[in-house]
Amino acid sequence: MTIREYAIQCIQDEAQAVLNLIPQMDENFDRAVELIMQCHGKVIVTGVGKSGHIGAKIAATLASTGTPSFFINPLDVFHGDLGVMSKGDVVVAISNSGQTDELLRFIPMVLHMEIPIIAMSGNPKSLLAKYSTCHLNISVEKEACPLNLAPTSSTTATLVMGDALAVALMEKRHFKPQDFAQFHPGGELGKRLLTTAQDVMLTENLPLLTEEMHLGEAIILVSKGKLGLGVAIKDGIVSGLITDGDIRRAMERWQAEFFNRTVGDIMTRNPKTVGLEAKISDIQKTMNQYKIHNVLVVDEEHRLLGIVDRYACVL
């Protein structure tokens, strides 16, 4: 085989290993989800070597999706880290063989503290499986490694099982995008879901018009505002909105009479408005739904506070 064919075979082997997890799913998975849902403490993920690296990722995924979780190396437990564990926690122990010595020496301490153990291994008859509260079978027929030695398919299967746990827990918790944003405030999604209209709205040099203003004068103010719109104000309250498009259509319609027409003749009397606390994600949906480029930010009495432009929503 060529080098590329070896790579393709590796991908196929690992993909098949993941698919083979499906018939291995049983009531133990349901039990694992319930144990974590009922956990009043933390989920502590542990493993040695490659299983440890995968465990750290699983812990990070759980933590970012609403399940307080962290990874601990069982070797560190013998040097003081046992103090982070307490009754009410749940341990997720990972070992492909289920016979990893360093991990098995850690298990009696967990059992003594009456902490339930969710085991992930490729051997349902292993000691780890025997002493666990529930066992998730992650066995694979073979490693993608040509020598069938290096952890490849087995680590992929473990990672996928961890993701399956996290996704199932998200569904059980009714985890929403807003919840995800709270755990990822620095990411693009977090910014869109947590940033409000007040944070990005324009408040200076707003193009304010009156309903009686002639369109010739209105064009100048709209142009100076550089937002492609003008806001009609009556008695301090928003009464309407005109856009560049409204002005062009009015020119085509009235031609020579255009300059005798007023803002009130062409304005939209119910422009889209939001409050100060409106989320940028919701504002984007409104803009996309109505194919508009701006929304007005108003208070409870419909007084203009600012304008949110489409470009301000690009975080």
Side-chain angles (χ1 to χ4, degrees):
M1 290 198 300
T2 66
I3 293 299
R4 188 180 301 173
E5 287 171 336
Y6 276 115
I8 292 172
Q9 185 63 55
C10 173
I11 294 172
Q12 289 175 336
D13 287 345
E14 294 202 21
Q16 189 59 54
V18 170
L19 290 175
N20 288 345
L21 288 177
I22 297 174
Q24 295 170 188
M25 302 279 281
D26 56 20
E27 65 278 359
N28 280 285
F29 185 86
D30 301 333
R31 177 61 176 150
V33 171
E34 286 305 317
L35 280 173
I36 296 176
M37 285 294 295
Q38 295 167 13
C39 175
H40 298 295
K42 311 166 292 296
V43 173
I44 300 170
V45 185
T46 186
V48 178
K50 303 296 189 299
S51 293
H53 294 307
I54 297 299
K57 191 275 178 186
I58 291 174
T61 300
L62 289 171
S64 68
T65 52
T67 300
S69 177
F70 63 89
F71 174 80
I72 186 171
N73 190 314
L75 299 175
D76 294 331
V77 172
F78 302 105
H79 301 281
D81 283 7
L82 187 64
V84 302
M85 297 175 58
S86 60
K87 195 169 183 178
D89 293 342
V90 170
V91 166
V92 176
I94 304 171
S95 168
N96 185 46
S97 68
Q99 301 289 132
T100 305
D101 182 63
E102 298 90 340
L103 190 61
L104 292 178
R105 286 191 286 132
F106 167 52
I107 297 303
M109 304 178 195
V110 179
L111 295 176
H112 178 72
M113 298 176 71
E114 298 181 354
I115 296 175
I117 299 172
I118 299 170
M120 285 191 196
S121 87
N123 184 1
K125 297 181 180 180
S126 63
L127 287 175
L128 177 60
K130 178 181 178 181
Y131 290 109
S132 64
T133 309
C134 58
H135 176 259
L136 303 181
N137 188 355
I138 52 171
S139 62
V140 298
E141 292 182 3
K142 65 174 183 175
E143 298 289 1
C145 164
L147 304 176
N148 195 29
L149 294 174
T152 44
S153 297
S154 59
T155 49
T156 300
T158 308
L159 184 62
V160 170
M161 184 63 77
D163 287 342
L165 264 181
V167 169
L169 287 162
M170 290 174 70
E171 288 296 319
K172 288 282 287 185
R173 297 186 196 281
H174 304 292
F175 201 77
K176 298 292 188 296
Q178 290 80 2
D179 302 314
F180 188 86
Q182 291 179 353
F183 294 102
H184 300 76
E188 179 182 349
L189 176 63
K191 290 179 181 177
R192 284 195 288 113
L193 291 174
L194 298 179
T195 303
T196 65
Q198 185 175 11
D199 298 323
V200 299
M201 68 182 186
L202 304 171
T203 58
E204 297 181 358
N205 302 317
L206 299 180
L208 304 182
L209 317 173
T210 65
E211 293 186 29
E212 297 78 19
M213 183 180 292
H214 286 96
L215 292 179
E217 184 181 356
I219 288 176
I220 297 174
L221 293 178
V222 169
S223 178
K224 286 183 177 180
K226 298 180 179 180
L227 291 174
L229 59 78
V231 184
I233 304 294
K234 183 175 183 179
D235 298 326
I237 295 173
V238 173
S239 61
L241 177 93
I242 65 171
T243 66
D244 285 338
D246 295 328
I247 293 172
R248 288 194 301 271
R249 286 186 288 273
M251 284 181 170
E252 293 174 0
R253 179 181 178 183
W254 288 309
Q255 298 183 11
E257 298 180 14
F258 170 80
F259 289 98
N260 294 324
R261 297 289 178 169
T262 65
V263 169
D265 292 331
I266 68 170
M267 71 180 189
T268 299
R269 295 189 176 273
N270 294 296
K272 300 303 176 186
T273 62
V274 297
L276 286 173
E277 299 303 317
K279 299 294 189 296
I280 289 300
S281 58
D282 294 329
I283 294 175
Q284 285 179 318
K285 291 178 183 177
T286 298
M287 289 181 175
N288 292 333
Q289 179 180 354
Y290 294 100
K291 296 180 173 59
I292 57 178
H293 298 281
N294 304 272
V295 295
L296 308 182
V297 184
V298 299
D299 62 14
E300 294 180 354
E301 297 179 0
H302 221 60
R303 291 185 298 239
L304 183 67
L305 302 176
I307 299 174
V308 175
D309 181 79
R310 176 177 289 276
Y311 297 106
C313 296
V314 181
L315 300 173

